[in-house]
Amino acid sequence: MEASQQNPRSWQEMRQWQVELLERTTGQSLEAWNEFVRREGPATEKELRAWLAERSVTGYSQMLLVFERCGYPDFFTRSADELVRGQYADRPQLREIYDAVLALLPQLGEVAIRTRKTYVALLTARRSFAVIAPVTRTRVDLGLRWQAAPDSPRLSAPGSRLGSAVTVKAGLRSAGDVDDDLIGWLQQVYDANL
């Protein structure tokens, strides 16, 4: 197995990935799209999103062009470390749970880490397979994209805070909850999303 990518992507790396995705999916450069949007696109974010969707520009590519036109949000320009520190600033005792989950990643395979304002996404080369989010002052949720989840009292419905791709969550209250069962589940979810 290849080693996990242990350094979360910076916003600059994320932006570069989005630029490459835009060019790959549309055949046009970011500069060409920026000129097209400047010349013909609507001014408001809502109208711009609809206008881009009509041209089959969706998802991360659309987000990139909206940011280019309307400005990048503050959280997008912070480093991954700054974002994670912010997530755990008022609950530092939960940071060890996050660190324990990250420590498992090398044994899974190659994992990309994408840090956002309120959560951290874990991705295979294909797509996101897990999300780590401190959701209360006493719990971190590990959301999993898992269609074949076992029936376990440790797994429950994820709610909307973890994103639409997550199908189940495991609530973690201490680093001790990152046990053999959780490691096995995480491996199964990783393998199912390759």
Side-chain angles (χ1 to χ4, degrees):
M1 285 186 195
E2 295 183 51
S4 170
Q5 175 185 324
Q6 284 297 303
N7 295 321
R9 284 190 180 172
S10 68
W11 76 270
Q12 296 96 336
E13 291 169 313
M14 178 64 180
R15 182 181 179 276
Q16 183 57 40
W17 177 82
Q18 288 175 309
V19 169
E20 292 166 5
L21 178 66
L22 174 71
E23 291 176 355
R24 197 170 50 249
T25 59
T26 68
Q28 297 293 319
S29 70
L30 175 61
E31 294 76 19
W33 270 105
N34 279 338
E35 178 60 25
F36 186 39
V37 168
R38 187 194 61 72
R39 207 175 54 246
E40 299 183 30
T44 70
E45 180 179 337
K46 183 177 179 180
E47 291 171 343
L48 179 58
R49 286 185 182 282
W51 184 82
L52 289 167
E54 289 171 4
R55 286 151 182 82
S56 300
V57 179
T58 59
Y60 287 113
S61 296
Q62 184 182 100
M63 181 174 71
L64 171 67
L65 292 172
V66 169
F67 287 169
E68 287 284 310
R69 174 69 177 256
C70 302
Y72 286 85
D74 181 49
F75 76 87
F76 200 80
T77 59
R78 291 187 186 162
S79 73
D81 288 338
E82 289 172 319
L83 290 170
V84 171
R85 277 195 307 271
Q87 290 174 19
Y88 294 91
D90 63 345
R91 52 194 115 193
Q93 75 284 2
L94 297 180
R95 176 64 190 260
E96 67 181 18
I97 299 169
Y98 169 80
D99 292 336
V101 173
L102 284 193
L104 300 175
L105 300 183
Q107 65 190 8
L108 299 179
E110 189 170 337
V111 177
I113 302 167
R114 293 215 182 115
T115 308
R116 301 293 183 260
K117 186 175 183 178
T118 60
Y119 66 91
V120 173
L122 307 178
L123 296 89
T124 64
R126 184 172 156 219
R127 64 184 179 186
S128 174
F129 69 94
V131 173
I132 309 166
V135 294
T136 71
R137 291 194 188 276
T138 61
R139 192 182 80 235
V140 171
D141 281 350
L142 178 64
L144 305 169
R145 176 181 272 193
W146 199 4
Q147 300 307 318
D151 186 22
S152 169
R154 291 184 64 189
L155 299 173
S156 61
S160 61
R161 293 183 67 173
L162 299 176
S164 60
V166 170
T167 57
V168 297
K169 72 175 181 189
L172 309 175
R173 297 188 181 278
S174 74
D177 289 339
V178 182
D179 58 11
D180 289 342
D181 285 340
L182 190 80
I183 295 166
W185 293 341
L186 203 52
Q187 185 70 62
Q188 289 175 47
V189 172
Y190 174 86
D191 292 344
N193 286 283
L194 286 175

